[in-house]
């Protein structure tokens, strides 16, 4: 960043990979596949958000890798205030038999195109609130996607 302190190359023992580029958040006119910045939302909900980065996620109970993208938890979880109050991971929250188990994500959002929404994934993990002894604020969700066009893009781009 111009005039700013450079971002670190490492946080604790975790390396940081910085990818520079331009992303047009919430822009989705004529989209034929999903990409960073695309408009997303929850079915039949007027709120909108955007796709952050694509990544792989491996859950502790399985060796299978999932292709995911990251977005804000308040975009992916319509009841994010419940999560904020509970201070629990999404996977812990849904163990309660009275809570909704699956949250679908559509592209584009209903706000951007109410007539043409396609389910592109489901919430795999999320946290919204303050975490740890230092009360670090986190608002993030991992969305598991099986979009074949994305998979090709990830392999092609090396993301």
């Amino acid at each position: 960043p111009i005039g700013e302190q450079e971002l670190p190359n490492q946080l604790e023992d975790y390396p940081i990979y910085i990818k520079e580029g331009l992303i047009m958040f919430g822009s989705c006119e004529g989209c034929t596949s999903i990409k960073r910045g695309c408009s997303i939302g929850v079915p039949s909900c007027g709120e909108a958000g955007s796709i952050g980065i694509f990544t792989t996620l491996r859950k502790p109970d399985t060796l299978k890798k999932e292709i995911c993208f990251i977005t804000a938890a308040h975009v992916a979880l319509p009841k994010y205030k419940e999560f904020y109050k509970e201070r629990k991971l999404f996977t812990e929250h849904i163990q309660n038999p009275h809570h909704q188990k699956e949250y679908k994500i559509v592209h584009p959002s209903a706000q951007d195109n109410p007539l043409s929404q396609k389910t592109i994934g489901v919430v795999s993990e999320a946290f919204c609130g303050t975490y740890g002894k230092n009360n670090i604020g986190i608002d993030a969700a991992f969305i598991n996607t099986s979009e074949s066009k994305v998979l090709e893009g990830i392999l092609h781009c090396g993301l």
Side-chain angles (χ1 to χ4, degrees):
I2 298 171
E4 299 287 333
Q5 183 179 359
E6 283 194 29
L7 296 170
N9 294 327
Q10 193 168 321
L11 269 178
E12 295 182 4
D13 292 332
Y14 298 97
I16 296 175
Y17 173 72
I18 299 170
K19 184 167 180 151
E20 294 183 34
L22 178 65
I23 299 173
M24 299 298 291
F25 288 105
S27 112
C28 255
E29 293 188 33
C31 266
T32 57
S33 64
I34 61 173
K35 58 189 179 296
R36 290 177 300 198
C38 274
S39 165
I40 58 169
V42 175
S44 304
C45 179
E47 303 295 322
S50 57
I51 294 175
I53 61 169
F54 288 92
T55 186
T56 56
L57 178 69
R58 188 182 339 217
K59 291 194 171 186
D61 58 342
T62 178
L63 296 177
K64 183 182 170 196
K65 284 186 178 180
E66 299 175 348
I67 303 296
C68 299
F69 61 83
I70 299 173
T71 191
H74 73 266
V75 169
L77 303 170
K79 299 179 179 181
Y80 72 91
K81 291 180 183 178
E82 287 180 19
F83 290 85
Y84 187 87
K85 288 178 189 174
E86 287 187 3
R87 296 174 74 169
K88 288 183 180 178
L89 289 169
F90 171 75
T91 50
E92 294 170 340
H93 177 84
I94 63 172
Q95 289 181 12
N96 182 322
H98 302 293
H99 290 159
Q100 182 175 336
K101 305 289 185 227
E102 183 177 79
Y103 290 84
K104 294 180 180 180
I105 301 299
V106 296
H107 167 257
S109 69
Q111 180 180 353
D112 292 322
N113 191 342
L115 302 176
S116 178
Q117 297 176 15
K118 179 183 176 191
T119 300
I120 58 165
V122 295
V123 176
S124 178
E125 188 61 272
F127 188 85
C128 185
T130 55
Y131 185 80
K133 62 182 178 183
N134 294 328
N135 287 325
I136 297 171
I138 300 173
D139 181 5
F142 288 88
I143 311 303
N144 183 339
T145 186
S146 59
E147 285 287 293
S148 59
K149 291 180 182 178
V150 172
L151 297 175
E152 292 165 10
I154 288 174
L155 297 175
H156 177 71
C157 298
L159 294 175

